[in-house]
Amino acid sequence: RKNSLIQLYCIFNLLDLAKLYFNYSSMNAGKSTALLQSAHNYHETGNETILFIPREDADKNSGLIKSRIGLSASAVVIDSELKIYDYVKKELSQRKVDAILVDEAQFLKKDHVLQMCKVCDELQIPVMCYGIRTDFRGELFEGSASLLALADNLIELKTVCNVCSRKATMVVRLDEDGKVITEGSKVQIGGNDVYRVLCRKHFNEATKLLD
């Protein structure tokens, strides 16, 4: 009886690992670096991963997940045609898959997130998503909204406001002259030349969007 209880405890622990994680932050918090480090840690212990990246970011980075400190890795591109659950299930028929890691998860559609839930719940594979919570207007991205609603674990990665020492939770977009803008396409790929990270107070001072 004691051995049976131990076996059940181990099974429940293994099942508990198959969760959907959303690691979120503002920009420049090292999300891609954290993802690539996690993938490396899996491989170091003999485990296998699949890395995904949405089309919006893949086109700029030639299908690679890239970090600001120079690390990179190839990834499967997520577009409107890709059925993530079917893709992972097919991979499982050919090799073992111990974890799924997704960069720039804010660009996912709700259907992509639902498929990732299915990967966790039916295939018992943990899915770790990394992304930004809000856009330059302070509004949730579709992928982020779905992950905040459905993820089992929410993990905040922190960075510092460009103006003060408070935690940065927002981003603002800059035009070619370095001035803050509040209109334009929701998706625009860019780095420090296009975006700045700010706390809520300085975001509102710069945009007046929270008045």
Side-chain angles (χ1 to χ4, degrees):
R1 179 176 174 83
K2 182 178 180 181
N3 287 339
S4 296
L5 289 173
I6 292 173
Q7 288 175 347
L8 283 173
Y9 176 78
C10 292
I11 290 170
F12 285 133
N13 273 342
L14 286 171
L15 292 178
D16 194 47
L17 293 176
K19 291 180 177 180
L20 177 60
Y21 299 83
F22 183 32
N23 301 271
Y24 67 90
S25 74
S26 185
M27 291 182 65
N28 298 337
K31 294 181 297 298
S32 297
T33 301
L35 182 154
L36 293 169
Q37 180 65 58
S38 293
H40 174 77
N41 292 345
Y42 271 105
H43 296 158
E44 284 282 287
T45 54
N47 294 297
E48 297 297 326
T49 63
I50 302 176
L51 275 56
F52 286 98
I53 189 170
R55 169 67 66 190
E56 288 84 346
D57 201 68
D59 286 344
K60 179 187 176 184
N61 292 313
S62 303
L64 296 174
I65 294 175
K66 293 184 177 180
S67 75
R68 291 184 297 118
I69 64 172
L71 301 175
S72 65
S74 59
V76 178
V77 176
I78 300 174
D79 56 25
S80 59
E81 303 299 318
L82 182 69
K83 300 298 181 184
I84 296 170
Y85 175 83
D86 293 340
Y87 181 93
V88 174
K89 190 173 183 180
K90 183 178 179 181
E91 288 293 304
L92 272 176
S93 69
Q94 302 170 9
R95 64 187 180 97
K96 71 168 186 168
V97 179
D98 298 293
I100 308 295
L101 297 100
V102 186
D103 201 24
E104 303 295 349
Q106 68 271 13
F107 296 137
L108 298 173
K109 301 300 181 186
K110 182 178 181 180
D111 182 61
H112 294 139
V113 176
L114 291 173
Q115 291 177 54
M116 290 174 185
C117 291
K118 195 174 178 182
V119 168
C120 293
D121 297 341
E122 297 188 14
L123 303 181
Q124 294 302 316
I125 300 174
V127 179
M128 284 157 277
C129 297
Y130 296 76
I132 297 169
R133 209 174 37 158
T134 57
D135 66 11
F136 70 108
R137 290 180 295 241
E139 299 173 356
L140 289 170
F141 286 95
E142 180 178 348
S144 302
S146 299
L147 285 164
L148 288 169
L150 296 170
D152 299 292
N153 282 36
L154 302 174
I155 303 161
E156 185 179 21
L157 305 177
K158 298 175 183 178
T159 190
V160 177
C161 174
N162 285 167
V163 177
C164 67
S165 59
R166 296 175 67 187
K167 182 177 71 176
T169 57
M170 319 290 284
V171 296
V172 292
R173 184 182 293 173
L174 310 176
D175 64 15
E176 61 237 14
D177 297 319
K179 296 180 179 179
V180 173
I181 57 176
T182 57
E183 298 293 334
S185 172
K186 192 174 186 72
V187 177
Q188 180 178 325
I189 305 299
N192 293 335
D193 57 327
V194 179
Y195 294 99
R196 295 180 71 196
V197 296
L198 300 173
C199 64
R200 185 179 59 245
K201 174 185 175 182
H202 286 113
F203 172 85
N204 194 42
E205 287 181 1
T207 66
K208 308 302 181 188
L209 290 173
L210 305 182
D211 285 343

